[in-house]
Amino acid sequence: QVQLVAGGGGSVQTGGSLRLSCASSVPIFRVLVMAWFRQAPGKEREFVAAVRRSLTNAEYADSVKGRFTLSREDTKNTMYLQMNSLKPEDTAVYFCAADPMVYDTRRPADYKYWAQGTQVTVSS
């Protein structure tokens, strides 16, 4: 059983930055595919970023590419999502997800383990 705890959400103005964290109860990357998704009110959950084993293989949604960056701290079994140049359209509840085996990293149904959501609000 994998437990994930997400944090770091908050409210910022356009152009601001936030860093989300996702702490795992098991070593990440060696055993898990890790991802972030987000869901705005009235919309489906959408892919943000994912990584298989190595950060060199990180994937990003086109909407966040160049603004969001994944990183990790192995000693804490924690993955981070650094979000810069935030826009109002980034406002959503962000979810961290993980699974030992994922076929499609961009499909929420492929992930068994989920953290609670963390709210990100970007005001104009």
Side-chain angles (χ1 to χ4, degrees), residues 9-123:
S11 297
V12 296
Q13 293 188 326
T14 298
S17 297
L18 286 172
R19 188 178 75 160
L20 304 184
S21 63
C22 180
S24 167
S25 60
V26 302
I28 61 177
F29 299 113
R30 289 196 292 113
V31 298
L32 297 172
V33 178
M34 304 287 292
W36 286 97
F37 292 84
R38 66 187 182 186
Q39 189 166 17
K43 294 188 177 181
E44 293 187 351
R45 192 165 296 190
E46 67 171 357
F47 170 78
V48 175
V51 58
R52 294 180 184 268
R53 307 296 185 265
S54 170
L55 286 170
T56 58
N57 296 326
E59 305 171 51
Y60 299 92
D62 288 344
S63 59
V64 307
K65 201 172 293 183
R67 300 187 297 122
F68 291 11
T69 305
L70 288 171
S71 64
R72 76 193 211 203
E73 191 167 358
D74 290 348
T75 57
K76 296 183 177 181
N77 292 341
T78 299
M79 174 180 69
Y80 301 99
L81 181 68
Q82 179 67 42
M83 306 186 297
N84 298 329
S85 301
L86 283 162
K87 305 175 182 180
E89 50 263 46
D90 294 318
T91 295
V93 177
Y94 283 69
F95 298 90
C96 170
D99 199 283
M101 294 184 67
V102 172
Y103 179 73
D104 183 349
T105 55
R106 299 177 182 239
R107 190 172 69 173
D110 278 28
Y111 296 84
K112 179 187 294 186
Y113 304 107
W114 291 83
Q116 82 289 356
T118 185
Q119 177 71 46
V120 171
T121 303
V122 185
S123 58

